[in-house]
Amino acid sequence: QVQLVESGGGLVQAGGSLRLFCAASGRAFSGYIMGWVRQAPGEGREFGAAISGGNPRYVDSVKGRFTISRDNAKNTVDLQMNSLKPEDTAVYYCAARRASTTSYNYWRSYNYWGQGTQVTVSS
């Protein structure tokens, strides 16, 4: 069982930056794939980024702008978001799952979720 708590959302102008934080509690954090999933107003959830022990994965729309990182000693996973665009406006959820053959970017495969943090990018 993993409990996740996000923080760091807010309001920023287009072109600006924000850093999201996710703190996890529970055992064997290093064994989980950690992801960030977002939900824009009126839209369904969308995979954003994920990280396990290897290379991080990103949805095409955030590649080169977002960076996901994790610290297994601190049980945290961060999302650095640069060059933000109005279309990045969404609730961002931290999510976790065990390793499996399912692709990292299948957001429904994540079993544990935080409460979400709002990111609003103004034009």
Side-chain angles (χ1 to χ4, degrees), residues 2 4 24 26-32 34 70-72 75-77:
V2 177
L4 305 171
R27 300 176 66 178
F29 172 79
S30 61
Y32 288 87
M34 300 301 299
R70 67 188 295 164
D71 185 332
N72 289 336
N75 283 14
T76 59
V77 58

Side-chain angles (χ1 to χ4, degrees), residues 52-106:
S52 180
N55 293 331
R57 312 287 177 86
Y58 301 95
V59 66
D60 286 347
S61 59
V62 309
K63 284 181 181 177
R65 301 188 298 121
F66 291 11
T67 302
I68 187 171
S69 59
R70 67 188 295 164
D71 185 332
N72 289 336
K74 297 180 178 179
N75 283 14
T76 59
V77 58
D78 297 351
L79 186 68
Q80 177 65 44
M81 304 185 295
N82 298 328
S83 302
L84 282 161
K85 304 175 181 180
E87 51 262 44
D88 294 318
T89 295
V91 177
Y92 283 70
Y93 296 92
C94 180
R97 53 168 265 204
R98 288 289 194 180
S100 74
T101 57
T102 304
S103 174
Y104 285 18
N105 63 4
Y106 184 54

Side-chain angles (χ1 to χ4, degrees), residues 25-44:
S25 59
R27 300 176 66 178
F29 172 79
S30 61
Y32 288 87
I33 296 169
M34 300 301 299
W36 287 95
V37 174
R38 63 185 185 179
Q39 186 167 16
E43 303 290 334

